[in-house]
């Protein structure tokens, strides 16, 4: 997940592709975010969403000559409107073999945000991490409007180990106790928290769940990292005593690297708030909220709420139903909508600490 795309990849695309083939009068775009990479089981269907702003002068209108599509690209990130030979087995309802999707909105005016969503289905024999590369093109001509080097990864879950059999106890006599044992005092049932916070760290297709969680981006393509990545480390830790969530991304913002925390125990949200010390950017730390269906399933919608837009003197306050606060352009989250996942995400270079975290006006 990267709110600022890889400048080096853009330069690479420009270096190897004639400028005239990329310049489309009236069309331009800017990458604005994406849903999380997914862990997927063989045979399972999941979905991706990516968001682009229309920074040109032409409205993208679905079903017309100005429709804009998200096209498939090869691993070189230069050859688009082309299908990688391994992609065909993952195609689940795409527009075509070489086009993932068009915008979900009927029209996207200049300055507005477009959402592109598509499903993937892992083949029965799938293993490892599979990458889906793409770029926006004018639907009628296939011309790329602004090379971005977009991609998202799906990592196939390994088959779990089989639990060994439980040993059969050896029969034997049980002596009668000399005195009736005293029953231990009842253990008080702890009051469950209003929500849980579970840190994670992500690097190049692999997510680590722990507390603290650490993930290292080696910058080596052989380890699944993009060729332009710079080695770095992402860390996430939560102190349940102080209520402090510390998130750090020590690699370049453009690197395939992030830290965050899942928020569990909530099925509906109205508000969120926290105090922030350290980095507070337009897209990180942010809160991602998934509605409609579980993440990666058909119908799921990701909403995101950035730090700086909702920050007043170090206090971030979010009203989820406020469409203007929803950076994904998906209209906010109504109090009656079912929430399937909530996550804090730090995927821009910097260190940040969140305290006094509240959801629906309640502390943990």
């Amino acid at each position: 997940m990267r709110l600022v795309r890889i400048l080096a990849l853009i330069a690479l695309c420009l270096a190897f592709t004639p400028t005239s083939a990329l310049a489309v009068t009236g069309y331009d775009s800017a990458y604005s975010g994406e849903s999380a990479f997914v862990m997927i089981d063989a045979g399972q269907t999941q979905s991706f969403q990516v968001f682009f702003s229309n920074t040109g002068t032409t409205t993208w209108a679905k079903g017309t000559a100005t429709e804009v599509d998200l096209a498939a690209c090869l691993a070189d990130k230069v050859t688009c409107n082309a299908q990688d030979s391994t992609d065909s087995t993952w195609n689940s309802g795409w527009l075509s073999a070489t086009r993932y999707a068009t915008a979900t909105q009927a029209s996207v005016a200049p300055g507005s945000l477009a959402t592109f969503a598509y499903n993937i289905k892992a083949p029965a024999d799938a293993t490892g991490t599979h990458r889906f590369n793409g770029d926006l093109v004018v639907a009628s001509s296939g011309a790329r409007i602004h090379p971005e080097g977009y991609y998202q990864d799906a990592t196939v879950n390994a088959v779990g180990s089989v639990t060994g059999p439980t040993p059969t106890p050896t029969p034997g006599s049980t002596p009668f106790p000399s005195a009736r044992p005293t029953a231990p005092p009842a253990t008080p049932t702890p009051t469950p928290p209003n929500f849980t916070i579970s840190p994670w760290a992500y690097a190049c297709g692999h997510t680590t769940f722990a507390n603290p969680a650490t993930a290292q981006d080696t910058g080596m393509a052989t380890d699944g990292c993009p060729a332009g990545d710079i080695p770095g480390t992402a860390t996430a830790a939560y102190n349940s005593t102080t209520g402090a969530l510390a998130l750090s991304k020590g690699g370049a913002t453009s690197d395939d690297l992030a830290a965050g925390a899942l928020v569990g125990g909530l099925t509906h949200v109205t508000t969120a708030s926290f105090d922030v010390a350290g980095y507070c950017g337009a897209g990180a730390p942010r809160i991602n909220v998934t509605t409609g269906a579980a993440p990666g399933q058909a119908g799921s919608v990701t909403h995101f709420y950035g730090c700086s837009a909702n920050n007043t003197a170090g206090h971030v306050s979010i009203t989820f139903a406020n469409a203007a606060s929803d950076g994904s352009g998906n209209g906010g989250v109504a109090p009656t909508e079912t929430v399937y996942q909530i996550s804090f995400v730090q995927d821009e270079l910097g260190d940040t600490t969140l305290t006094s975290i509240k959801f629906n006006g309640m502390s943990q």
Side-chain angles (χ1 to χ4, degrees):
M1 307 181 286
R2 298 155 305 281
L3 294 177
V4 178
R5 298 304 292 167
I6 304 174
L7 297 178
L9 290 175
I10 296 175
L12 184 64
C13 292
L14 293 173
F16 287 90
T17 308
T19 303
S20 59
L22 303 180
V24 185
T25 302
Y27 293 84
D28 202 357
S29 66
Y31 171 87
S32 298
E34 64 189 45
S35 58
F37 291 179
V38 298
M39 302 294 291
I40 190 170
D41 294 324
Q44 183 184 24
T45 299
Q46 296 212 38
S47 66
F48 286 131
Q49 299 87 36
V50 58
F51 313 104
F52 290 91
S53 296
N54 181 350
T55 57
T57 58
T58 299
T59 296
W60 306 343
K62 187 185 301 186
T64 73
T66 63
E67 177 178 309
V68 168
D69 293 342
L70 178 63
C73 301
L74 300 186
D76 62 7
K77 300 185 182 296
V78 175
T79 309
C80 293
N81 288 298
Q83 185 182 68
D84 186 288
S85 59
T86 61
D87 281 355
S88 59
T89 55
W90 293 72
N91 188 329
S92 180
W94 300 351
L95 290 181
S96 70
T98 60
R99 303 280 177 90
Y100 297 124
T102 191
T104 59
Q105 295 86 354
S107 65
V108 182
S112 298
L113 197 67
T115 303
F116 297 83
Y118 60 99
N119 291 336
I120 56 170
K121 183 176 181 179
D125 58 351
T127 59
T129 298
H130 189 88
R131 176 157 294 175
F132 298 87
N133 298 290
D135 255 323
L136 295 187
V137 300
V138 178
S140 58
S141 65
R144 278 194 298 173
I145 66 176
H146 188 142
E148 300 271 9
Y150 154 77
Y151 66 88
Q152 284 184 268
D153 286 350
T155 300
V156 180
N157 290 313
V159 177
S161 58
V162 178
T163 303
T166 302
T168 303
T170 302
S173 61
T174 302
F176 192 81
S178 58
R180 184 180 299 276
T182 302
T187 302
T189 302
T191 302
N194 291 312
F195 54 87
T196 60
I197 296 179
S198 303
W200 54 262
Y202 169 86
C204 301
H206 299 283
T207 302
T208 300
F209 294 94
N211 188 21
T214 301
Q216 291 184 323
D217 174 346
T218 63
M220 298 174 60
T222 55
D223 290 345
C225 292
D229 272 15
I230 301 170
T233 302
T235 61
Y238 181 64
N239 187 321
S240 59
T241 301
T242 64
L245 175 62
L247 304 175
S248 173
K249 176 171 178 173
T253 294
S254 57
D255 281 1
D256 192 10
L257 184 70
L262 286 173
V263 178
L266 298 174
T267 57
H268 296 81
V269 292
T270 54
T271 61
S273 63
F274 55 86
D275 293 331
V276 58
Y279 184 83
C280 179
R286 67 178 178 275
I287 297 178
N288 279 0
V289 179
T290 303
T291 61
Q297 300 297 315
S300 68
V301 178
T302 299
H303 311 259
F304 65 82
Y305 300 83
C307 184
S308 62
N310 299 287
N311 180 20
T312 302
H315 181 73
V316 176
S317 181
I318 295 168
T319 300
F320 289 108
N322 184 353
S325 296
D326 184 353
S328 69
N330 286 325
V333 179
T336 56
E337 284 188 85
T338 299
V339 170
Y340 291 86
Q341 188 180 92
I342 304 171
S343 192
F344 287 101
V345 181
Q346 172 69 21
D347 58 1
E348 296 178 359
L349 174 62
D351 303 328
T352 190
T353 299
L354 313 183
T355 55
S356 302
I357 298 171
K358 293 183 179 181
F359 283 90
N360 302 337
M362 302 181 297
S363 300
Q364 188 180 25

